[in-house]
Amino acid sequence: MKIEQELRSALQKRTSDWEAPTEVLRNVTEQIEAEQAAGGSGHAVRRHRPVRKRVLVGILSAVLILPTGAYAGYHYLSDSVYGSKANFGGDANAYEQLEAKLQTVKSQMSDSEYEQLTRLLREAASLYSQYAGEDGQLKKSEMSVEELARLDTLEQEIKKQTTGLDTSKAASTQFDENFTVEDFWAEVLAKAEKQLDSTDYAKFRALVETVKSDVEAADKTTMEQLNSYLLPLGYKVEQSN
Amino acid sequence: MEQEKDLIERILAGSSAAYAELYEQTAGDLYKLIRLLVGNTEDAQDVMQETYLQAHRNLHRFDRDRAFRPWVTGIALRQVKACRRKRWLQARRIGRAAQYNRRTEEADFANESAERLDRGEWIERIERLPYKLRQIVILKYLNDYAQEEIAEILGIPLGTVKSRVHAALERLRKSGPKPFEQESLDSAENAHLKTGGRYS
């Protein structure tokens, strides 16, 4: 028998009674469903990872890079309070800071505690958005006594629930002056090389090189393409204003 | 192929049943490959699980004009690599764990019939190949991938695949099991030498 036939036959015999364990499918399905239920939508979901947020300082470019623990279909926690970034009165940075704080708070609370806090925040945010002026200040004079009292109660309650929680981490990780654009891309490429196959990695690398060499060329499509690779890796890039 | 495309469309639309169907279609062969490469059922199960999770997470980037099987095999091989790296680090700490696994595998062969022992010997020879060659032999002779497909799965040039196949076969030929008669003859000769010819 030719060596190739012998090898084929030996390998087939050796593995003939090996069957894929059924619990693998069960575990995979359970994990996918749990991830989807935890906030992901569709297929591109990922396990929770600690949020890492860095706003790069001193980038003379049109791209503001915000690596986050985000994934495709990820919802900003702040969105659960404000609906979307567009509904938030403050500027984008303030929204990101709120997001960072919420992420930090969430990591220190149980699911039920966090859910309760979100309900309170949502109600408070709804009152704020109704009565906040263009300057972002609350127009208390326009509010009814009941609404004022309710807002006061909500604020007390939120304060009570978040007392003792450390949100300083969120603030301190907002800015990292020593972390450069080069560092960021090097970190991302190293991670991508481990997780992507060679074809995808080559495509991704080419995109990164394009953005690095001419940041002005980073149009909406390029950003979307970049994010389709970055989000599963736990990063996200956004166009700065 | 069209059926596979439909299945993937359904998975992307959120169907767990469709993913289970795709798993049933592909998991059998993949499990064999993984288990041969990692050498034990426990790690094989972990690698399988991580492979199908990764595949699901990245399915939106999969080019649906291509076949799913080589793509998921590529993911599996990267997971095997990660598992081997992790095990190597553990083995450094625990020391003799790897040897223990090996002895267990060998004990399995001891219980098999003479015919299977002969085949088991091929398996042992394959297991002794350097990882890069072993991987190619299994992809080619167990999973029946064409050399072009192997090149794509591993992200290496076709020429490299060909030279690795050649090198693997060379090594296996040199160290391969001898034909049954020859082996018996050798054993008889050894017995003769050991006993000083008293029983011949």
Side-chain angles (χ1 to χ4, degrees), chain A residues 1-33 35-36 42-47 49 72 192-201 203 225 227-233, chain B residues 11-14 16 19-20 23-24 27-28 31-32 35-36 45 48-50 52-54 56-61 66 71 74 78 85 105 108-109 112 115-116 118-120 122-123 126-127 137-138 140-142 144 152-156 165 169 172-173 177:
Chain A
M1 206 179 347
K2 275 179 71 184
I3 185 172
E4 292 184 314
Q5 284 169 308
E6 288 200 29
L7 288 173
R8 224 169 239 127
S9 161
L11 285 165
Q12 276 164 8
K13 280 273 174 188
R14 177 78 183 116
T15 60
S16 61
D17 52 355
W18 290 1
E19 281 177 14
T22 47
E23 56 262 45
V24 169
L25 177 61
R26 198 177 51 237
N27 292 346
V28 167
T29 311
E30 275 173 13
Q31 194 156 339
I32 289 168
E33 283 171 0
E35 286 171 344
Q36 286 171 337
H43 54 282
V45 291
R46 52 184 289 120
R47 281 166 299 180
R49 290 184 186 174
E193 194 172 10
K194 279 188 207 154
Q195 292 190 22
L196 300 178
D197 66 30
S198 55
T199 322
D200 277 345
Y201 177 69
K203 283 185 199 164
Q225 284 175 339
N227 279 332
S228 78
Y229 290 99
L230 287 171
L231 290 167
L233 296 172
Chain B
I11 298 165
L12 291 172
S16 313
Y19 199 52
Y23 177 88
E24 296 297 343
Y31 177 69
K32 291 176 179 179
R35 188 167 150 184
L36 276 170
Q45 195 164 324
M48 277 289 280
Q49 199 161 307
E50 200 49 43
Y52 278 91
L53 278 171
Q54 288 287 344
H56 191 270
R57 288 181 188 131
N58 291 293
L59 200 60
H60 62 296
R61 277 201 274 113
R66 307 177 97 146
W71 182 72
R78 284 194 294 283
R85 199 182 302 129
E105 289 283 327
D108 286 344
F109 285 127
E112 294 181 16
E115 186 199 20
R116 290 190 65 154
D118 185 35
R119 291 202 169 99
W122 275 116
I123 299 293
I126 293 170
E127 282 175 349
V137 165
I138 297 171
K140 185 166 163 59
Y141 299 111
L142 175 70
D144 274 329
E152 200 184 316
I153 290 169
L154 296 174
I156 56 177
V165 170
L169 292 181
L172 288 167
R173 255 187 215 107

Side-chain angles (χ1 to χ4, degrees), chain B residues 17-102:
Chain B
Y19 199 52
E21 208 176 319
L22 191 67
Y23 177 88
E24 296 297 343
Q25 286 178 13
T26 52
D29 284 348
L30 203 60
Y31 177 69
K32 291 176 179 179
L33 165 75
I34 292 170
R35 188 167 150 184
L36 276 170
L37 289 174
V38 298
N40 68 80
T41 50
E42 202 175 293
D43 284 341
Q45 195 164 324
D46 288 348
V47 169
M48 277 289 280
Q49 199 161 307
E50 200 49 43
T51 298
Y52 278 91
L53 278 171
Q54 288 287 344
H56 191 270
R57 288 181 188 131
N58 291 293
L59 200 60
H60 62 296
R61 277 201 274 113
F62 167 64
D63 178 357
R64 272 164 266 172
D65 291 328
R66 307 177 97 146
F68 177 77
R69 205 170 72 110
W71 182 72
V72 76
T73 303
I75 297 176
L77 291 176
R78 284 194 294 283
Q79 296 302 325
V80 168
K81 201 172 160 187
C83 169
R84 281 166 49 83
R85 199 182 302 129
K86 196 172 90 189
R87 211 170 47 178
W88 182 76
L89 290 171
Q90 279 172 350
R92 278 183 68 189
R93 267 182 251 131
I94 305 167
R96 291 154 65 100
Q99 282 180 1
Y100 174 77
N101 283 341
R102 174 143 194 85

Side-chain angles (χ1 to χ4, degrees), chain A residues 3-219:
Chain A
I3 185 172
E4 292 184 314
Q5 284 169 308
E6 288 200 29
L7 288 173
R8 224 169 239 127
S9 161
L11 285 165
Q12 276 164 8
K13 280 273 174 188
R14 177 78 183 116
T15 60
S16 61
D17 52 355
W18 290 1
E19 281 177 14
T22 47
E23 56 262 45
V24 169
L25 177 61
R26 198 177 51 237
N27 292 346
V28 167
T29 311
E30 275 173 13
Q31 194 156 339
I32 289 168
E33 283 171 0
E35 286 171 344
Q36 286 171 337
S41 62
H43 54 282
V45 291
R46 52 184 289 120
R47 281 166 299 180
H48 288 293
R49 290 184 186 174
V51 179
R52 206 156 33 105
K53 219 175 244 286
R54 287 190 186 115
V55 178
L56 299 183
V57 179
I59 310 167
L60 302 170
S61 74
V63 185
L64 172 67
I65 297 151
L66 290 170
T68 70
Y71 46 81
Y74 167 81
H75 298 295
Y76 269 85
L77 291 177
S78 318
D79 288 354
S80 65
V81 179
Y82 285 96
S84 85
K85 211 184 235 186
N87 296 340
F88 181 68
D91 63 12
N93 267 347
Y95 199 76
E96 294 300 341
Q97 269 177 10
L98 170 68
E99 174 67 14
K101 278 193 180 178
L102 285 176
Q103 291 278 9
T104 315
V105 163
K106 191 181 182 193
S107 67
Q108 296 174 51
M109 289 178 128
S110 72
D111 283 354
S112 58
E113 282 171 342
Y114 183 74
E115 202 179 305
Q116 205 185 343
L117 176 70
T118 312
R119 267 202 301 273
L120 296 170
L121 285 167
R122 199 182 293 130
E123 200 182 335
S126 148
L127 280 171
Y128 263 103
S129 57
Q130 277 179 58
Y131 295 104
E134 282 180 10
D135 56 356
Q137 295 298 310
L138 196 64
K139 293 177 183 168
K140 289 191 178 174
S141 56
E142 291 179 16
M143 292 174 78
S144 68
V145 180
E146 290 79 19
E147 282 170 334
L148 269 171
R150 180 65 191 149
L151 188 62
D152 192 46
T153 315
L154 286 169
E155 283 178 347
Q156 296 285 339
E157 198 58 38
I158 290 166
K159 209 170 174 183
K160 205 164 85 187
Q161 287 206 19
T162 52
T163 303
L165 295 177
D166 179 17
T167 56
S168 60
K169 264 189 207 163
S172 66
T173 52
Q174 274 287 295
F175 294 96
D176 184 351
E177 291 182 33
N178 298 321
F179 191 72
T180 66
V181 181
E182 280 299 323
D183 292 338
F184 170 68
W185 289 122
E187 182 180 304
V188 165
L189 283 171
K191 216 169 181 185
E193 194 172 10
K194 279 188 207 154
Q195 292 190 22
L196 300 178
D197 66 30
S198 55
T199 322
D200 277 345
Y201 177 69
K203 283 185 199 164
F204 176 61
R205 203 186 164 96
L207 270 173
V208 171
E209 292 304 327
T210 312
V211 178
K212 274 170 77 181
S213 61
D214 181 11
V215 83
E216 299 297 328
D219 56 11

